[in-house]
Amino acid sequence: IINGYKVSYLACCGVESPIKTPVATENSEGIMGSYDNGQRMIEEVKKAKATSDYVIVFPHWGIENTTALTNAQQVNSKNWIDAGADAVIGAHPHILQGFDFYKGAPIAYSLGNFWFNTKNIYTGLLKLTVSKEGIATTFVPGRQANSETHYLSSESDRRRLYDELESYQPYNKVKIDDNGVINPVTEY
């Protein structure tokens, strides 16, 4: 319960190709997979939405070390929102992949490595604030280097990163203000 609202979190995986972590069944342990084009997650989102004010989906997806999005990232995120998800926050590519909105719901394709290795790369946190108006989305930028992550304190470095993120796929559809607040440029 957050701010008086019930928030459900659902997670799945759809990246480990050609070797896939086994998907759980009634008779075997495993993960919640999205290897089925996200169909099982659609059903789980619908169930969660029936008993929750907000549903947030955390997919483990995409291709490592590229800002290019997969078809599954673009299609599944929208299908899950159509099913009732209020936000989709992705991970796995190890770099930032940018943001989108669909029907007012935020999508973060990948937040990068918050604390993973010794690479020197941009990363960040996504702050979601729930209220009766919906979910407000704020990106908190950072830099990971030498196995540590620090807030990106330089105003000019933050602006440079925000501008870079705005240019990522899918096609310049978000605007990030100087405080990190993410808004759609266009709705569709």
Side-chain angles (χ1 to χ4, degrees):
I1 306 296
I2 300 172
N3 293 340
Y5 299 99
K6 183 177 180 183
V7 180
S8 290
Y9 299 92
L10 303 172
C12 62
C13 182
V15 296
E16 297 158 335
S17 183
I19 300 169
K20 297 177 182 173
T21 301
V23 174
T25 67
E26 288 184 30
N27 301 316
S28 65
E29 65 267 344
I31 63 164
M32 171 64 169
S34 61
Y35 306 115
D36 61 353
N37 295 319
Q39 292 303 304
R40 185 168 172 212
M41 182 56 83
I42 288 172
E43 296 309 312
E44 295 303 319
V45 167
K46 288 177 182 177
K47 287 180 201 174
K49 192 62 176 182
T51 61
S52 305
D53 298 301
Y54 291 99
V55 175
I56 300 172
V57 177
F58 291 99
H60 185 237
W61 62 1
I63 299 171
E64 292 182 6
N65 302 309
T66 179
T67 60
L69 303 176
T70 66
N71 186 59
Q73 287 175 285
Q74 295 176 77
V75 172
N76 289 349
S77 58
K78 291 169 181 66
N79 287 342
W80 297 333
I81 290 167
D82 284 338
D86 298 285
V88 177
I89 314 300
H92 173 71
H94 300 288
I95 63 171
L96 293 167
Q97 282 191 322
F99 307 100
D100 197 1
F101 283 84
Y102 177 67
K103 296 184 176 178
I107 302 167
Y109 291 103
S110 173
L111 293 176
N113 287 338
F114 186 73
W115 193 10
F116 187 69
N117 57 29
T118 59
K119 287 184 179 178
N120 185 347
I121 58 173
Y122 286 122
T123 188
L125 300 173
L126 195 64
K127 179 181 176 184
L128 303 178
T129 305
V130 297
S131 70
K132 65 181 177 183
E133 288 81 29
I135 295 179
T137 311
T138 305
F139 180 68
V140 181
R143 179 170 282 285
Q144 178 201 317
N146 303 314
S147 299
E148 295 181 349
T149 301
H150 296 276
Y151 176 68
L152 200 58
S153 58
S154 164
E155 198 172 308
S156 62
D157 287 346
R158 288 193 309 269
R159 183 70 260 160
R160 189 171 21 263
L161 176 56
Y162 297 154
D163 291 344
E164 183 178 326
L165 288 168
E166 289 173 357
S167 74
Y168 288 173
Q169 288 184 351
Y171 318 111
N172 306 307
K173 292 183 181 173
V174 300
K175 197 75 176 148
I176 305 171
D177 74 14
D178 289 338
N179 296 312
V181 176
I182 307 168
N183 286 298
V185 171
T186 59
E187 278 290 335
Y188 51 97

